[in-house]
Amino acid sequence: MARRRQAVTIKHVAADAGVSLQTVSRVINKEPNVRPSMQEKVQASIDRLGYIPSIAAQRMSGSRSYLILALNDRERTIADWRARQGSDWIDQMLLGGMLKCAELGYRMIFELVDTHNDHVERELGAAIAALQPDGVILTPPHSDNPLITNLLTAHKIPFAQIGSEGQGGGIPLIMGDQDAARKATEHLLGLGHTNIGFIAGPSDYLLSGWRLAGWKGAMESAGCATSGKSQEGDFSFASGAAAAKILLCQSDRPTAILASNDHMAVATMEVASELGLSVPTDLSVISFDNTPMAIFARPSLTAVDQPIADTTARAIELLISAKNGDTPVLGPTIIPADLVLRDSTGPAPL
Amino acid sequence: MARRRQAVTIKHVAADAGVSLQTVSRVINKEPNVRPSMQEKVQASIDRLGYIPSIAAQRMSGSRSYLILALNDRERTIADWRARQGSDWIDQMLLGGMLKCAELGYRMIFELVDTHNDHVERELGAAIAALQPDGVILTPPHSDNPLITNLLTAHKIPFAQIGSEGQGGGIPLIMGDQDAARKATEHLLGLGHTNIGFIAGPSDYLLSGWRLAGWKGAMESAGCATSGKSQEGDFSFASGAAAAKILLCQSDRPTAILASNDHMAVATMEVASELGLSVPTDLSVISFDNTPMAIFARPSLTAVDQPIADTTARAIELLISAKNGDTPVLGPTIIPADLVLRDSTGPAPL
DNA sequence: TTGAAAGCGCTAACAC
DNA sequence: GTGTTAGCGCTTTCAA
């Protein structure tokens, strides 16, 4: 295969504009100290020749690769893809991240890593060596993995930690779980519910705690009891069903349940149906995440949306700012989550 | 920001192993004419130092970037993402493509292009100049777009055309639509159905024709009538409902319908329900694509799976072979599609 | 404000 | 079979 050469290089532009390579480089990188007339002349040549810099060459000589690496857990991601159940986490990251990258002249590359073992360091190290990304986006459950955060810190590569409060020294972003849980609970309170159950996520996810706190806070502010009204699941359908069964078989049965993800909410509706309860007449249900499952459930689920796209987009912006040496934002960036109203919620039964 | 240097370069390895750069390069690239003892010694240094070549440097000097570009239609992809209805085309491409790339030492980068206007050339040209990909994967509806295929041909970049018979000079891959349609129809015939309706996709999609031909072929082989039993939709829910209404209001109503995608199949079930027909007792329904919607539909849909992951993986293999100068496969590569049995099909009513 | 020179990490081409 | 040399396209450093 023939040696491949760039069609139009910086040399062509320089020759065309009658200036040095360096001046063209300055124009490309929007550096100061270029006379406007020069800048215009060079830009005209660039446009005329349709010149686009090679990112490989930029990376070779300069300090940037114009590449952002997004890391996801290998096992979970592949399992979701194979299940074809419409878990759209990756799509939403792509939606927010790719478009924002494109806007800023960057590209996003996905990489899967094994969180469970020590391969992480080798795998991530290889990706860093091969690509030299300008920034890395970490996602749960490894946003706070010290093996990863230490490695990135050592390499001086800025990184965003989605769903983390930023212990690792990166840029933390969280999705307003606590506020959203409060909002969802308040919505139910507004519908007249006072006995509202909660199905929590596993405690090793930080967001499980945030969601729980939001529900608890809203309940307590309204003077409603929370004791004995919450059960922990592990995000799976089975665990949701088990939790729902416990809550719904109590003598003082809740008239509404807030479940920490869509799977557990669907399970709750199924259990309700088995018990002869209809949703939303006898029981209102609200879920978290708003994956496609929430739309397709019958009745469709009122859900707290997870603003993955917005969060990823913001992560990209902050990463590039950090790379540019801008002063970092203090504290975690919170992306607010909306409540999407559908058919699984209604007024409390009399 | 400090100038970033590679931690371990080919030089370090060469020094460590006491050989020339070139020898290390030969080992990395698995070139012949390296004495086994040399190869082992160098490999030992590589392993010990944890050396990984920089793809930017490889691209700069050599003829490969180790990057594969996957092109998708901007408008449709973004619309799907925003709808959050679980269309998992991109996920499946990622599943098949990313894993295969990783296996072969490549990376996959996604890019969205506007198919509708002449921006394509500018957009794609820019992506090519910036990334210099070793191969490009084209997806419907622009697998045969001459603006794109000509540009790639001119740049001598190998490209795969998914869902195309290969008019553009690329590597064509198709997903066995015709065979699958035949299989699906035969499945219905096997259940005793003889009056089987078909809802076609829009005629500007090549695969619409293939699916239609498969149904027609199976019907004719079985001696069943096809005239008046097919209606064209445009893949939307509304068009599916309209087509189903026409088919199901005929005096000689079909006992089974094969719809060219999941949306139109769900619409068909809804229309059946309105007409007081129950699925699958009175009417069997089979869909194409097997997106998450097919799982969540009630009853769940028996569907022809679209093997996007397998197809993408194969495309990567063929692209890299082409890049290596291997002799191309003749004719389109056909990836067989399976029929996934669920609850929307049953024996023909008596 | 602009230009010239050096070099990033690697491979192709050629010499030995 | 192995080493040497000359770049790839760009930015950095330094000089003018």
XYZ file of all heavy atoms in Angstrom, chain B residues 247-323:
564
model
N -55.237 -3.720 4.909
C -55.135 -5.182 4.804
C -56.211 -5.884 5.644
O -56.831 -6.861 5.199
C -53.753 -5.649 5.275
C -52.575 -5.288 4.352
C -51.245 -5.637 5.018
C -52.709 -6.008 3.013
N -56.448 -5.370 6.834
C -57.342 -6.070 7.758
C -58.821 -5.780 7.503
O -59.693 -6.438 8.077
C -56.975 -5.725 9.209
C -55.614 -6.265 9.669
C -55.275 -5.762 11.066
C -55.609 -7.798 9.627
N -59.101 -4.796 6.677
C -60.503 -4.495 6.380
C -60.951 -5.138 5.068
O -62.081 -4.961 4.633
C -60.734 -2.990 6.348
S -60.568 -2.254 7.986
N -60.031 -5.860 4.442
C -60.403 -6.592 3.226
C -61.394 -7.694 3.581
O -61.381 -8.205 4.709
C -59.163 -7.247 2.606
C -58.173 -6.274 1.999
C -56.907 -6.987 1.522
O -56.740 -8.179 1.779
N -56.042 -6.259 0.855
N -62.211 -8.044 2.621
C -63.168 -9.137 2.866
C -62.383 -10.423 3.151
O -62.727 -11.195 4.034
C -64.048 -9.315 1.640
O -63.232 -9.552 0.506
N -61.313 -10.576 2.412
C -60.491 -11.774 2.577
C -59.302 -11.449 3.482
O -58.155 -11.458 3.050
C -60.011 -12.219 1.190
C -59.293 -13.548 1.275
O -59.505 -14.292 2.261
O -58.505 -13.833 0.347
N -59.576 -11.169 4.736
C -58.609 -10.670 5.691
C -57.457 -11.662 5.954
O -57.702 -12.846 6.187
C -59.377 -10.428 6.991
C -58.606 -9.953 8.161
C -59.551 -9.464 9.256
N -60.448 -10.483 9.812
C -60.056 -11.543 10.510
N -58.782 -11.773 10.685
N -60.931 -12.379 11.014
N -56.208 -11.169 5.944
C -55.077 -12.066 6.238
C -55.113 -12.560 7.687
O -55.633 -11.864 8.571
C -53.833 -11.204 6.019
C -54.300 -9.820 5.792
C -55.766 -9.817 5.573
N -54.570 -13.750 7.914
C -54.484 -14.270 9.283
C -53.084 -14.022 9.861
O -52.812 -14.368 11.000
C -54.757 -15.782 9.323
O -53.765 -16.455 8.547
C -56.138 -16.088 8.751
N -52.233 -13.478 9.021
C -50.885 -13.150 9.494
C -50.358 -11.982 8.678
O -50.700 -11.835 7.496
C -49.958 -14.352 9.342
N -49.552 -11.168 9.317
C -48.954 -10.035 8.607
C -47.473 -9.962 8.941
O -47.065 -10.078 10.099
C -49.652 -8.710 8.986
C -51.062 -8.658 8.354
C -48.833 -7.506 8.519
C -51.831 -7.377 8.645
N -46.689 -9.756 7.890
C -45.253 -9.558 8.035
C -45.006 -8.070 7.782
O -45.308 -7.564 6.700
C -44.553 -10.419 6.978
C -43.032 -10.507 6.951
C -42.475 -10.891 8.317
C -42.600 -11.523 5.898
N -44.528 -7.371 8.782
C -44.310 -5.929 8.643
C -42.819 -5.640 8.540
O -42.020 -6.257 9.238
C -44.902 -5.194 9.843
N -42.462 -4.692 7.693
C -41.045 -4.471 7.387
C -40.211 -3.780 8.457
O -39.001 -3.615 8.279
C -40.894 -3.737 6.060
O -41.260 -4.604 5.007
N -40.825 -3.350 9.537
C -40.017 -2.954 10.702
C -40.867 -3.026 11.968
O -42.075 -3.297 11.918
C -39.357 -1.575 10.529
C -40.335 -0.433 10.707
O -41.548 -0.612 10.634
N -39.813 0.752 10.931
N -40.237 -2.793 13.097
C -40.922 -2.967 14.372
C -42.046 -1.945 14.583
O -43.118 -2.285 15.077
C -39.923 -2.863 15.529
C -38.913 -3.999 15.527
O -39.299 -5.128 15.166
O -37.746 -3.773 15.886
N -41.784 -0.718 14.208
C -42.812 0.312 14.383
C -44.100 -0.065 13.653
O -45.199 0.051 14.195
C -42.321 1.665 13.839
C -41.486 2.437 14.802
N -40.121 2.376 14.826
C -41.836 3.290 15.802
C -39.657 3.157 15.783
N -40.678 3.724 16.396
N -43.961 -0.489 12.424
C -45.151 -0.802 11.622
C -45.836 -2.056 12.162
O -47.054 -2.210 12.068
C -44.778 -0.938 10.140
C -44.197 0.375 9.573
S -44.191 0.499 7.758
C -43.088 -0.828 7.327
N -45.066 -2.937 12.773
C -45.664 -4.148 13.356
C -46.465 -3.795 14.609
O -47.573 -4.300 14.823
C -44.567 -5.150 13.698
N -45.910 -2.921 15.424
C -46.640 -2.495 16.620
C -47.929 -1.793 16.200
O -48.998 -2.009 16.783
C -45.758 -1.566 17.490
C -46.583 -0.907 18.585
C -44.618 -2.362 18.106
N -47.828 -0.972 15.165
C -49.022 -0.286 14.652
C -50.055 -1.305 14.198
O -51.260 -1.151 14.445
C -48.629 0.636 13.500
N -49.585 -2.350 13.569
C -50.484 -3.394 13.087
C -51.224 -4.052 14.259
O -52.437 -4.297 14.194
C -49.682 -4.468 12.318
O -49.052 -3.847 11.199
C -50.585 -5.596 11.849
N -50.484 -4.307 15.334
C -51.123 -4.924 16.495
C -52.162 -3.987 17.101
O -53.218 -4.414 17.557
C -50.073 -5.315 17.532
C -49.121 -6.403 17.004
S -48.379 -7.420 18.299
C -47.437 -6.215 19.199
N -51.855 -2.702 17.078
C -52.793 -1.732 17.634
C -54.081 -1.707 16.796
O -55.195 -1.708 17.330
C -52.150 -0.343 17.658
C -52.718 0.552 18.739
C -51.615 1.099 19.642
O -50.804 0.291 20.155
O -51.558 2.322 19.802
N -53.914 -1.703 15.499
C -55.084 -1.698 14.596
C -55.904 -2.972 14.809
O -57.138 -2.933 14.882
C -54.642 -1.586 13.123
C -55.803 -1.867 12.176
C -54.063 -0.203 12.860
N -55.204 -4.092 14.942
C -55.899 -5.367 15.151
C -56.753 -5.276 16.410
O -57.940 -5.657 16.408
C -54.881 -6.491 15.286
N -56.150 -4.740 17.438
C -56.868 -4.608 18.704
C -58.122 -3.743 18.529
O -59.196 -4.065 19.031
C -55.904 -4.028 19.735
O -56.596 -3.516 20.826
N -57.981 -2.646 17.791
C -59.138 -1.774 17.537
C -60.244 -2.509 16.802
O -61.441 -2.237 16.983
C -58.721 -0.565 16.682
C -57.972 0.496 17.467
C -57.290 1.493 16.540
O -57.651 1.550 15.331
O -56.366 2.186 17.012
N -59.830 -3.427 15.943
C -60.819 -4.172 15.146
C -61.341 -5.399 15.896
O -62.085 -6.198 15.336
C -60.184 -4.618 13.814
C -59.786 -3.485 12.852
C -59.046 -4.050 11.655
C -61.021 -2.711 12.397
N -60.919 -5.522 17.134
C -61.413 -6.636 17.937
C -60.719 -7.958 17.641
O -61.195 -9.029 18.015
N -59.556 -7.861 16.986
C -58.799 -9.089 16.699
C -57.714 -9.250 17.743
O -57.026 -8.272 18.082
C -58.140 -8.985 15.314
C -59.079 -8.776 14.132
C -58.281 -8.443 12.877
C -59.933 -10.026 13.920
N -57.526 -10.449 18.245
C -56.454 -10.593 19.213
C -55.249 -11.291 18.584
O -55.370 -12.156 17.719
C -56.938 -11.308 20.474
O -57.007 -12.678 20.230
N -54.110 -10.866 19.043
C -52.822 -11.391 18.557
C -52.265 -12.311 19.642
O -52.228 -11.910 20.816
C -51.836 -10.225 18.306
C -50.460 -10.763 17.908
C -52.359 -9.283 17.228
N -51.884 -13.530 19.354
C -51.802 -14.147 18.026
C -53.016 -15.025 17.663
O -52.961 -15.694 16.633
C -50.557 -15.018 18.165
C -50.608 -15.488 19.581
C -51.264 -14.392 20.379
N -54.029 -15.040 18.495
C -55.149 -15.944 18.211
C -55.794 -15.708 16.837
O -55.946 -16.642 16.047
C -56.239 -15.791 19.296
O -55.609 -15.592 20.564
C -57.129 -17.005 19.336
N -56.145 -14.438 16.589
C -56.804 -14.142 15.312
C -55.816 -13.704 14.237
O -56.071 -13.844 13.048
C -57.827 -13.018 15.516
C -58.847 -13.373 16.590
O -59.367 -14.507 16.559
O -59.097 -12.533 17.474
N -54.725 -13.128 14.696
C -53.756 -12.583 13.745
C -52.344 -12.786 14.274
O -52.063 -12.455 15.431
C -54.000 -11.069 13.561
C -53.037 -10.356 12.610
C -53.330 -10.710 11.157
C -53.098 -8.837 12.812
N -51.467 -13.353 13.431
C -50.053 -13.446 13.788
C -49.310 -12.269 13.167
O -49.651 -11.835 12.065
C -49.452 -14.757 13.280
O -49.863 -15.839 14.088
N -48.325 -11.770 13.881
C -47.556 -10.639 13.355
C -46.058 -10.922 13.512
O -45.607 -11.391 14.561
C -47.898 -9.327 14.117
C -47.038 -8.175 13.634
C -49.381 -8.994 13.969
N -45.323 -10.659 12.450
C -43.862 -10.754 12.523
C -43.279 -9.425 12.057
O -43.787 -8.830 11.103
C -43.307 -11.896 11.632
C -43.806 -13.260 12.134
C -41.778 -11.874 11.625
C -43.194 -14.450 11.398
N -42.249 -8.970 12.733
C -41.639 -7.706 12.335
C -40.195 -7.907 11.901
O -39.615 -8.978 12.074
C -41.672 -6.723 13.499
O -40.740 -7.119 14.491
N -39.623 -6.861 11.373
C -38.203 -6.827 11.029
C -37.472 -5.868 11.953
O -38.048 -4.880 12.395
C -38.013 -6.318 9.591
C -38.079 -7.407 8.565
C -39.299 -7.817 8.064
C -36.924 -8.011 8.105
C -39.366 -8.811 7.111
C -36.979 -9.017 7.149
C -38.206 -9.418 6.648
N -36.242 -6.175 12.193
C -35.249 -5.334 12.870
C -34.945 -5.781 14.301
O -33.810 -5.727 14.727
C -35.607 -3.846 12.879
C -35.558 -3.259 11.473
O -35.166 -3.986 10.528
O -35.917 -2.082 11.316
N -36.010 -6.174 15.032
C -35.765 -6.649 16.393
C -35.074 -5.608 17.267
O -34.133 -5.912 17.981
C -34.952 -7.949 16.356
C -34.949 -8.653 17.699
O -35.906 -8.547 18.460
N -33.876 -9.361 17.998
N -35.550 -4.386 17.195
C -35.069 -3.359 18.116
C -35.714 -3.636 19.474
O -36.602 -4.478 19.579
C -35.476 -1.954 17.627
O -36.889 -1.901 17.503
C -34.835 -1.626 16.290
N -35.288 -2.936 20.517
C -35.843 -3.189 21.853
C -37.374 -3.122 21.865
O -38.024 -3.817 22.647
C -35.236 -2.062 22.685
C -33.931 -1.803 22.044
C -34.174 -1.977 20.569
N -37.920 -2.310 20.999
C -39.373 -2.194 20.909
C -40.055 -3.558 20.745
O -41.151 -3.786 21.262
C -39.689 -1.308 19.703
C -41.145 -1.129 19.411
S -41.348 -0.019 18.017
C -41.377 1.530 18.869
N -39.420 -4.457 20.030
C -40.015 -5.779 19.791
C -40.128 -6.564 21.097
O -41.077 -7.321 21.299
C -39.183 -6.554 18.779
N -39.181 -6.372 21.982
C -39.225 -7.052 23.272
C -40.312 -6.458 24.146
O -41.039 -7.162 24.834
C -37.869 -6.880 24.017
C -36.754 -7.573 23.260
C -37.976 -7.406 25.447
C -35.396 -7.443 23.937
N -40.447 -5.138 24.118
C -41.350 -4.465 25.038
C -42.802 -4.458 24.554
O -43.706 -4.153 25.330
C -40.879 -3.034 25.293
C -39.598 -2.974 26.071
C -38.491 -2.300 25.585
C -39.494 -3.615 27.305
C -37.309 -2.252 26.308
C -38.317 -3.573 28.038
C -37.220 -2.888 27.537
N -43.021 -4.750 23.286
C -44.391 -4.753 22.765
C -45.195 -5.834 23.490
O -44.643 -6.818 23.987
C -44.371 -5.008 21.272
N -46.510 -5.633 23.592
C -47.380 -6.639 24.209
C -48.476 -7.021 23.232
O -49.260 -6.169 22.871
C -47.990 -6.113 25.510
C -46.994 -6.084 26.675
C -46.535 -7.505 27.066
N -45.394 -7.520 27.989
C -44.118 -7.563 27.613
N -43.808 -7.600 26.331
N -43.156 -7.596 28.496
N -48.544 -8.266 22.777
C -47.565 -9.308 23.038
C -46.214 -8.972 22.410
O -46.149 -8.212 21.452
C -48.187 -10.539 22.373
C -49.056 -9.988 21.298
C -49.607 -8.709 21.852
N -45.157 -9.567 22.966
C -43.830 -9.324 22.413
C -43.794 -9.848 20.979
O -44.468 -10.814 20.637
C -42.781 -10.029 23.270
O -43.028 -11.418 23.317
N -42.996 -9.193 20.171
C -43.007 -9.483 18.736
C -42.032 -10.567 18.289
O -40.828 -10.494 18.582
C -42.654 -8.217 17.964
C -43.766 -7.219 17.691
C -43.176 -5.889 17.240
C -44.699 -7.777 16.607
N -42.526 -11.537 17.567
C -41.648 -12.430 16.817
C -41.019 -11.557 15.738
O -41.716 -10.830 15.040
C -42.449 -13.575 16.188
O -42.921 -14.426 17.227
C -41.579 -14.377 15.227
N -39.705 -11.583 15.640
C -39.046 -10.617 14.763
C -37.832 -11.185 14.048
O -37.142 -12.062 14.568
C -38.627 -9.401 15.578
N -37.583 -10.646 12.868
C -36.362 -10.952 12.142
C -35.279 -10.042 12.706
O -35.404 -8.821 12.665
C -36.530 -10.686 10.638
C -35.195 -10.845 9.932
C -37.576 -11.615 10.052
N -34.260 -10.621 13.255
C -33.189 -9.832 13.839
C -32.345 -9.186 12.745
O -32.112 -9.784 11.696
C -32.299 -10.743 14.690
C -31.255 -9.959 15.445
O -31.652 -9.086 16.234
O -30.061 -10.207 15.232
N -31.898 -7.975 13.022
C -30.967 -7.349 12.078
C -29.576 -7.492 12.677
O -29.273 -6.874 13.701
C -31.343 -5.871 11.921
C -31.121 -5.366 10.526
C -31.466 -3.895 10.385
O -31.750 -3.212 11.363
N -31.413 -3.395 9.176
N -28.727 -8.300 12.067
C -27.420 -8.607 12.677
C -26.398 -7.498 12.451
O -25.379 -7.684 11.793
C -27.017 -9.890 11.962
C -27.654 -9.770 10.607
C -28.929 -8.996 10.797
N -26.688 -6.343 13.040
C -25.840 -5.164 12.814
C -24.445 -5.359 13.393
O -23.453 -4.991 12.783
C -26.495 -3.925 13.459
C -27.895 -3.729 12.900
C -25.658 -2.689 13.225
C -28.754 -2.820 13.756
N -24.395 -5.962 14.572
C -23.088 -6.154 15.215
C -22.209 -7.075 14.361
O -21.055 -6.748 14.071
C -23.262 -6.722 16.614
N -22.755 -8.197 13.946
C -21.975 -9.133 13.133
C -21.540 -8.492 11.817
O -20.424 -8.701 11.345
C -22.819 -10.374 12.789
C -23.022 -11.258 14.007
O -22.334 -11.047 15.016
O -23.882 -12.161 13.942
N -22.461 -7.743 11.243
C -22.157 -7.109 9.964
C -21.036 -6.091 10.112
O -20.102 -6.037 9.304
C -23.419 -6.415 9.423
O -24.466 -7.375 9.337
C -23.161 -5.821 8.047
N -21.115 -5.289 11.159
C -20.081 -4.285 11.382
C -18.730 -4.951 11.647
O -17.699 -4.527 11.124
C -20.456 -3.377 12.563
O -21.785 -2.886 12.360
C -19.504 -2.210 12.680
N -18.761 -6.005 12.435
C -17.509 -6.710 12.738
C -16.881 -7.246 11.448
O -15.679 -7.107 11.213
C -17.776 -7.849 13.713
N -17.726 -7.819 10.608
C -17.223 -8.366 9.341
C -16.694 -7.247 8.452
O -15.673 -7.418 7.767
C -18.359 -9.115 8.634
C -17.917 -9.909 7.443
C -17.346 -11.270 7.824
N -16.750 -11.926 6.666
C -15.434 -12.030 6.456
N -14.586 -11.582 7.351
N -14.976 -12.619 5.369
N -17.375 -6.136 8.468
C -16.945 -4.983 7.660
C -15.542 -4.548 8.072
O -14.682 -4.297 7.229
C -17.929 -3.826 7.814
N -15.313 -4.509 9.368
C -13.990 -4.127 9.874
C -12.933 -5.101 9.347
O -11.886 -4.697 8.840
C -13.975 -4.168 11.422
C -15.017 -3.225 12.004
C -12.576 -3.908 11.961
C -14.620 -1.811 12.121
N -13.230 -6.383 9.451
C -12.269 -7.387 8.981
C -11.941 -7.206 7.501
O -10.780 -7.231 7.094
C -12.833 -8.798 9.185
C -12.872 -9.237 10.629
C -13.537 -10.613 10.783
O -14.205 -11.065 9.826
O -13.389 -11.215 11.844
N -12.978 -7.017 6.727
C -12.774 -6.894 5.285
C -12.029 -5.611 4.936
O -11.199 -5.576 4.025
C -14.122 -6.942 4.562
C -14.826 -8.302 4.642
C -16.249 -8.209 4.099
C -14.032 -9.355 3.869
N -12.322 -4.574 5.668
C -11.652 -3.291 5.449
C -10.158 -3.412 5.714
O -9.325 -2.940 4.943
C -12.261 -2.283 6.425
C -12.981 -1.025 5.963
C -13.444 -1.079 4.536
C -14.125 -0.697 6.905
N -9.841 -4.059 6.812
C -8.434 -4.187 7.172
C -7.716 -5.125 6.195
O -6.575 -4.871 5.812
C -8.292 -4.632 8.649
C -8.823 -3.495 9.543
C -6.851 -4.962 9.001
C -8.875 -3.809 11.019
N -8.411 -6.166 5.764
C -7.842 -7.031 4.724
C -7.555 -6.231 3.469
O -6.492 -6.366 2.854
C -8.838 -8.134 4.326
O -8.933 -9.091 5.324
N -8.508 -5.406 3.094
C -8.351 -4.607 1.876
C -7.145 -3.695 2.029
O -6.323 -3.564 1.118
C -9.613 -3.791 1.620
N -7.019 -3.092 3.182
C -5.901 -2.198 3.470
C -4.575 -2.958 3.370
O -3.562 -2.430 2.943
C -6.090 -1.632 4.881
C -5.032 -0.669 5.322
C -5.238 0.695 4.703
C -4.082 1.617 5.041
N -4.214 2.898 4.345
